[in-house]
Structures are given as structure tokens and as C-alpha cells.
């Protein structure tokens, strides 16, 4: 999830304005694990969906591993 944050921050990932992805990104917060310092995507509140944000994080990580960016 930190990798996705870095891609967004550095302007290395773009999207077409899809309303579902936009909503799910807006519904997401970050949580930093104190022991490992890992960043996680978490729901801003329990009634919000973040599935598309999590899927984007997983897909972007896989794309970088496969070097298809």
C-alpha cells in the first residue's frame, strides 16, 4: 500500500476518472503499523467501500514485479 501511495505521489500512476475508483480512494485512510512501519489502506468508516483502492494497490504491485509499467 505504501508503494501505491508513492506511485500516486510521484505521478507515476493515472486513472481515467472512473467514479467507483474515485469514491473508493476517497473512502480510504492510511494506517501505519507501529512495529513494522508498514502502511495499510483502511476504511474511513465501516459503511464505506474501499475494494477498488485495494485492488489497485494489488494490481500496481504485481505490475511492478512483472515490470509492465
Amino acid at each position: 500500500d505504501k508503494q501505491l501511495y508513492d506511485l500516486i505521489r510521484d505521478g507515476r500512476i493515472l486513472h481515467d476518472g472512473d467514479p467507483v475508483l474515485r469514491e473508493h480512494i476517497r473512502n480510504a485512510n492510511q494506517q501505519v503499523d507501529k512495529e513494522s512501519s508498514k502502511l495499510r489502506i483502511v476504511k474511513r468508516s465501516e459503511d464505506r467501500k474501499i475494494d477498488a483502492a485495494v485492488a489497485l494497490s494489488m494490481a500496481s504491485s504485481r505490475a511492478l514485479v512483472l515490470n509492465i509499467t
Side-chain angles (χ1 to χ4, degrees), residues 7-69:
L7 290 171
I8 294 169
R9 180 198 64 209
D10 297 342
R12 293 185 56 213
I13 193 166
L14 303 171
H15 76 90
D16 63 358
D18 178 76
V20 173
L21 179 58
R22 183 185 311 267
E23 176 187 349
H24 287 207
I25 293 290
R26 286 185 178 154
N27 290 343
N29 273 346
Q30 65 181 3
Q31 180 180 36
V32 179
D33 184 283
K34 293 176 185 175
E35 293 180 16
S36 66
S37 298
K38 288 188 176 184
L39 182 113
R40 291 185 50 218
I41 297 172
V42 296
K43 291 180 179 182
R44 191 174 295 260
S45 66
E46 279 303 310
D47 62 333
R48 308 261 177 171
K49 293 183 179 181
I50 61 169
D51 302 317
V54 173
L56 176 62
S57 181
M58 294 168 64
S60 63
S61 177
R62 185 70 176 150
L64 290 171
V65 166
L66 295 175
N67 198 24
I68 58 174
T69 57

